[in-house]
Amino acid sequence: MPFKFLTLEVADRVATLTVNRPDKLNALNDATIAELGNAIDQIRVDDSIGGALLTGAGRAFVAGADISELSNQSPVLAKARARAGQEVFRRFETCPKPVIAAVNGFALGGGCELAMACHIRIASDAAKFGQPESKLGLLPGYGGSQRLPRLIGKGRATQLLLTGEMIDAADAYRIGLVNKVVAGDQLMTEARNMLKTILANGPLAVALCIEAIDRGLQMSLEEGMILEANHFGLLAATEDMREGTRAFMEKRAPVFKGK
Ligand code: COA
């Protein structure tokens, strides 16, 4: 499916999805959000794809929702816009294949929210993060007020959301907003290497791990333990579990089939 504001390339089981609106710092207009939804659906169903890298063209990852579209929105449209974007971002978060955000530059507002909806974030040392919506008289609409405190804790999230301040990659790493910071020219290589490490593991185990983390965070500890035990039991029914454990005992690399 051709995109206007994205590119999607697949090589060696890795999909590279690039938000490609560099003249507007990849700001997310409604059309780009819709394209992101189509792209993640494609990534989910295409058997030739094991996982994805998400990045931005030019000097930004994504500099937020497109402010020109927000300026005259009605309350009804604003709510519908937020719900539509939340739903698309949720499809990234619940994707059973690993999605890594390779944050190359500004990740502000909807950009920070999009990065948080990915499973792992690797940042260039030039990246900048923030939720500046309060400076616009808004709050985040694509899940930022909910994911940020879950990711970095209530106190730090409240500070970022209320001040709207921008932080650099080193600070983002210090507070746990990103998993790793690397030199800008190494970003895609490092992100691909991490994805390849994950893709060498059992895909069913990876998918159920993503689900256990995501669903578990919405449950009590006791309910989450049951979910984990159920997944543990389910994986025991797979050829991959037998292959993985047997390969360890035979001192060889496993060959997983996703079955
Ligand atoms: N929505 C719409 N357009 C945006 C945008 C956004 N969120 N962020 C950047 N742009 C556009 C600018 O309007 C400008 O377009 P123009 O050349 O047609 O005037 C272009 O992208 C380049 O941005 P510019 O502001 O000139 O770059 P800069 O280096 O001076 O500043 C930022 C970079 C990221 C600090 C600044 O663009 C910014 O503050 N953006 C908005 C961030 C934000 O509030 N996001 C949350 C939105 S809810």
Side-chain angles (χ1 to χ4, degrees), residues 137-237:
L138 277 169
L139 90 166
Y142 298 150
S145 68
Q146 303 308 302
R147 289 200 181 94
L148 193 60
R150 284 170 171 77
L151 193 58
I152 66 171
K154 182 180 169 187
R156 285 169 171 148
T158 304
Q159 181 184 339
L160 283 176
L161 288 162
L162 268 49
T163 63
E165 68 188 351
M166 232 190 300
I167 59 170
D168 62 18
D171 275 347
Y173 177 72
R174 191 176 50 76
I175 64 176
L177 181 51
V178 300
N179 298 71
K180 193 171 182 179
V181 180
V182 300
D185 60 359
Q186 290 302 305
L187 178 63
M188 295 314 290
T189 304
E190 293 269 354
R192 185 168 284 104
N193 285 345
M194 189 183 287
L195 188 55
K196 286 281 185 187
T197 300
I198 298 169
L199 296 186
N201 296 334
L204 298 172
V206 167
L208 289 189
C209 211
I210 288 171
E211 190 177 301
I213 295 164
D214 179 68
R215 305 298 301 189
L217 277 170
Q218 302 171 56
M219 294 174 174
S220 69
L221 182 64
E222 213 39 64
E223 289 166 326
M225 296 291 199
I226 294 286
L227 177 73
E228 181 184 85
N230 285 343
H231 282 2
F232 196 76
L234 187 57
L235 287 172

Side-chain angles (χ1 to χ4, degrees), residues 23-25 27 59 63-67 70 106 108-109 132-133 136 166:
D23 54 322
K24 296 292 178 192
L25 302 186
R59 66 192 175 100
D66 189 322
I67 297 168
L70 304 184
F106 293 112
L108 303 174
E133 288 88 347
L136 301 168
M166 232 190 300

Side-chain angles (χ1 to χ4, degrees), residues 75-162:
V76 172
L77 176 60
K79 180 175 177 183
R81 173 173 280 140
R83 294 300 284 161
Q86 287 170 356
E87 193 267 326
V88 166
F89 285 21
R90 187 79 183 120
R91 268 139 71 192
F92 279 78
E93 189 168 44
T94 60
C95 179
K97 301 173 183 179
V99 182
I100 297 182
V103 182
N104 52 302
F106 293 112
L108 303 174
C112 191
E113 293 174 287
L114 182 58
M116 286 192 287
C118 296
H119 302 126
I120 293 171
R121 286 147 294 285
I122 302 186
S124 147
D125 52 9
K128 298 258 191 295
F129 296 81
Q131 296 286 166
E133 288 88 347
S134 58
K135 291 179 186 286
L136 301 168
L138 277 169
L139 90 166
Y142 298 150
S145 68
Q146 303 308 302
R147 289 200 181 94
L148 193 60
R150 284 170 171 77
L151 193 58
I152 66 171
K154 182 180 169 187
R156 285 169 171 148
T158 304
Q159 181 184 339
L160 283 176
L161 288 162
L162 268 49

